[in-house]
Amino acid sequence: MKVLVTVKRVIDPYVKVRVKSDGSGVETANIKMTMNPFCEIAVEQAIRMKEAGVVSEIVVVSIGVQQCQETLRTAMAMGADRGILVETAGEVQPLAVAKVLKAIVDKESPKLVIMGKQAIDDDCNQSGQMLAALLGWPQSAFTSAIAVNGDAADVTREIDGGLEKLSIKLPAVVTADLRLNEPRYVTLPNIMKAKKKPLEVIKPEALGVDIAPRLVTLKVQEPPKRGSGVKVADVKELMAKLKTEAKVI
């Protein structure tokens, strides 16, 4: 079966994020970018399923600027077969992402869509659920295990109370949790091979999708700096400070 995997280009999680001076967003110029960690897990899962003989083709999709081709090449170096870039320079919000992906799904007809549960830049955790709703497909969010059995998939989900095991019919949308797997390192020979794999670049207009933002960011600001701690003489003084200064009791 064919699997569609989404990947997003984000600021490297080990880089300190700086807010722009005008408060309109975070600084991305001259900042190291990488593949969203949860998307890496999604790609790794698709590759493992292909190695197990369950998957015949892996198609990776990204939405964003031209530099997203590097992210797609990384996914192909990991083991994906081909890539699709929906190129746009503007902001793409979760609903627009879901609409674009629906158009890609209609075009490619995969039996399974694997996505990261969220991106580490906006932490929205919405696109997978919205895509499943638009397609009318079953979904499994926060997935930590998946096994395909014919026309169904047995999944384990991370929930507040522990783990939930479900059986969902294919085609379906699955979003990957941190515990699903540990992504492999990309080797130099595979990086060279990935340069020859097909990568299609299309515009949202060609898919007939309107990606105009519906939400407006009013302001972005850093959290207040944490104050220094103080020592207290005894429990009585601690309780007094919690009551009068911190006002938490």
Side-chain angles (χ1 to χ4, degrees):
M1 70 176 184
K2 182 191 294 187
V3 170
L4 191 75
V5 185
T6 61
V7 294
K8 186 177 183 181
R9 180 175 181 262
V10 299
I11 296 176
D12 190 287
Y14 299 104
V15 172
K16 179 176 174 54
V17 177
R18 300 193 305 272
V19 176
K20 291 181 179 180
S21 57
D22 60 0
S24 62
V26 297
E27 189 62 62
T28 57
N30 301 317
I31 298 294
K32 182 181 178 182
M33 308 293 282
T34 188
M35 186 190 303
N36 178 48
F38 290 103
C39 296
E40 281 188 293
I41 295 171
V43 174
E44 175 66 26
Q45 184 60 35
I47 295 169
R48 292 188 184 188
M49 293 170 71
K50 185 178 180 181
E51 291 172 344
V54 177
V55 172
S56 57
E57 184 183 22
I58 302 171
V59 182
V60 286
V61 182
S62 188
I63 306 170
V65 296
Q66 184 182 8
Q67 290 84 343
C68 291
Q69 292 188 32
E70 301 171 8
T71 308
L72 290 168
R73 292 292 180 191
T74 300
M76 288 188 279
M78 291 175 67
D81 297 295
R82 58 188 176 92
I84 300 173
L85 171 61
V86 182
E87 187 176 349
T88 176
E91 179 188 6
V92 187
Q93 295 176 350
L95 181 57
V97 170
K99 289 181 178 179
V100 169
L101 293 177
K102 180 184 183 300
I104 297 292
V105 169
D106 291 340
K107 176 184 175 184
E108 294 290 335
S109 300
K111 287 199 70 175
L112 183 65
V113 177
I114 307 178
M115 308 172 64
K117 71 171 184 177
Q118 65 194 75
I120 62 171
D121 51 2
D122 54 23
D123 274 334
C124 283
N125 181 22
Q126 295 174 342
S127 298
Q129 293 88 327
M130 288 179 173
L131 175 60
L134 292 175
L135 290 169
W137 286 8
Q139 63 173 306
S140 172
F142 313 103
T143 306
S144 59
I146 178 172
V148 174
N149 296 314
D151 291 331
D154 298 326
V155 297
T156 302
R157 298 182 58 240
E158 303 274 346
I159 60 175
D160 292 340
L163 300 176
E164 179 182 41
K165 294 186 177 182
L166 299 172
S167 179
I168 57 176
K169 291 183 179 180
L170 300 178
V173 177
V174 171
T175 66
D177 201 281
L178 188 66
R179 295 174 182 80
L180 183 57
N181 59 56
E182 184 176 344
R184 66 194 65 192
Y185 288 103
V186 179
T187 62
L188 183 58
N190 287 337
I191 293 175
M192 302 306 293
K193 291 177 183 177
K195 293 181 179 180
K196 298 181 180 180
K197 292 184 178 181
L199 197 162
E200 180 184 5
V201 180
I202 56 179
K203 298 289 186 180
E205 296 79 17
L207 298 171
V209 179
D210 178 17
I211 62 170
R214 265 61 173 181
L215 305 174
V216 177
T217 301
L218 300 179
K219 186 179 181 182
V220 177
Q221 62 184 43
E222 294 185 9
K225 295 187 181 299
R226 185 176 178 180
S228 58
V230 295
K231 290 184 178 181
V232 294
D234 51 32
V235 175
K236 184 178 180 180
E237 184 181 353
L238 172 62
M239 297 300 291
K241 286 185 175 292
L242 290 176
K243 186 175 182 180
T244 59
E245 295 182 16
K247 297 181 180 179
V248 295
I249 58 174

